[in-house]
Amino acid sequence: KENKIRVIYNPVEINQINCLCGEDINDFKKKDNERLIVSIGRLVEQKDYPTLLKAFSIVSTKVNARLLILGKGPLEKNLKDLCKDLRIDDKVVFLGFKKNPYKYLKISDVFVLSSKWEGFGHVIVEAMATGTPVISTNCNSGPSEIIGDNKYGILVPVGDYNTMAKKIVNLLNDKESLRKYSEQGLIRAKSYDAKNITKEYENTFLELI
């Protein structure tokens, strides 16, 4: 029964994220004159990196940018081969799994999630907590709940690399929108702060008692 269901979202440790954002990056250096797009997740079908790579191949013709991918998985070779086919292998950096992805998010201009499906999309909130604007596919079932009607980020259709490319380029070229989504994302991330989520559990238990 719906009246017996209460949704409590996964918590995000915002204070810890803020601390980890300040750690030094020793395996990658952002160039002064480039825009940095970052994506995080396992290199598997669910994350649909081919759509992101095709979108980036369009973006790279319009904006001086590099794409940073954090994650490991069975599709790594296929994705690197696709980069070569798209002639973007010199602009896409595969850094593998990183215990602290937040320091990379912090230096990025945009975070992009290209998934075909997600349970929640925890990484969206983590990106928001670093102040990084978010573009995500409107996949089932979490991203739209977090982002809303493009209020806290930008939603694009699943698998539509042309629209994804257009939204990325438009955002990178619009300082006001970058600022707005950075600020709105920080506000939204606070809703998922561990302190607030803990309070929701506490209130639920007290009501039941």
Side-chain angles (χ1 to χ4, degrees):
K1 295 182 179 180
E2 287 188 15
N3 65 340
K4 290 189 175 182
I5 297 173
R6 177 168 297 182
V7 176
I8 300 178
Y9 289 107
N10 296 330
V12 175
E13 292 282 357
I14 291 181
N15 288 337
Q16 183 182 18
I17 289 174
N18 289 335
C19 291
L20 291 171
C21 277
E23 288 189 357
D24 292 334
I25 297 175
N26 300 315
D27 55 355
F28 177 83
K29 185 173 178 59
K30 183 180 180 180
K31 300 174 183 176
D32 293 335
N33 62 341
E34 74 177 351
R35 296 305 186 96
L36 188 60
I37 301 162
V38 65
S39 190
I40 301 171
R42 294 189 67 235
L43 309 184
V44 293
E45 181 188 356
Q46 175 195 351
K47 303 300 180 181
D48 195 13
Y49 282 109
T51 288
L52 175 58
L53 293 175
K54 290 174 186 176
F56 179 72
S57 71
I58 298 172
V59 172
S60 64
T61 65
K62 302 177 185 296
V63 180
N64 180 21
R66 273 196 293 173
L67 173 61
L68 187 60
I69 296 177
L70 307 183
K72 296 181 69 175
L75 298 182
E76 182 171 346
K77 183 181 184 303
N78 291 349
L79 295 174
K80 287 182 176 178
D81 287 343
L82 179 57
C83 287
K84 291 178 182 177
D85 293 340
L86 295 170
R87 298 182 179 178
I88 55 172
D89 50 305
D90 60 330
K91 297 180 180 179
V92 180
V93 182
F94 291 84
L95 280 183
F97 171 78
K98 294 297 174 183
K99 188 175 181 180
N100 175 10
Y102 311 116
K103 57 184 179 181
Y104 300 95
L105 281 165
K106 188 67 176 178
I107 65 167
S108 299
D109 296 283
V110 177
F111 168 77
V112 181
L113 184 73
S114 54
S115 295
K116 293 180 178 180
W117 70 88
E118 285 287 341
F120 174 61
H122 198 77
V123 69
I124 293 176
V125 181
E126 292 176 322
M128 289 177 171
T130 68
T132 306
V134 171
I135 294 177
S136 172
T137 49
N138 189 15
C139 64
N140 290 332
S141 53
S144 62
E145 291 187 42
I146 303 168
I147 291 173
D149 187 17
N150 294 320
K151 181 177 181 180
Y152 301 105
I154 297 172
L155 292 169
V156 298
V158 174
D160 187 346
Y161 63 86
N162 284 305
T163 298
M164 181 179 287
K166 181 179 178 180
K167 295 297 184 180
I168 293 172
V169 170
N170 289 346
L171 185 56
L172 289 176
N173 287 330
D174 187 343
K175 290 182 179 180
E176 179 58 27
S177 290
L178 283 169
R179 182 195 63 78
K180 181 188 79 171
Y181 283 118
S182 176
E183 293 177 354
Q184 288 293 100
L186 287 168
I187 292 170
R188 185 57 169 154
K190 289 179 182 177
S191 303
Y192 303 95
D193 185 52
K195 294 177 182 177
N196 295 327
I197 298 300
T198 300
K199 195 69 178 176
E200 287 190 43
Y201 275 107
E202 183 182 343
N203 291 337
T204 301
F205 294 152
L206 289 174
E207 288 177 20
L208 291 172
I209 292 172

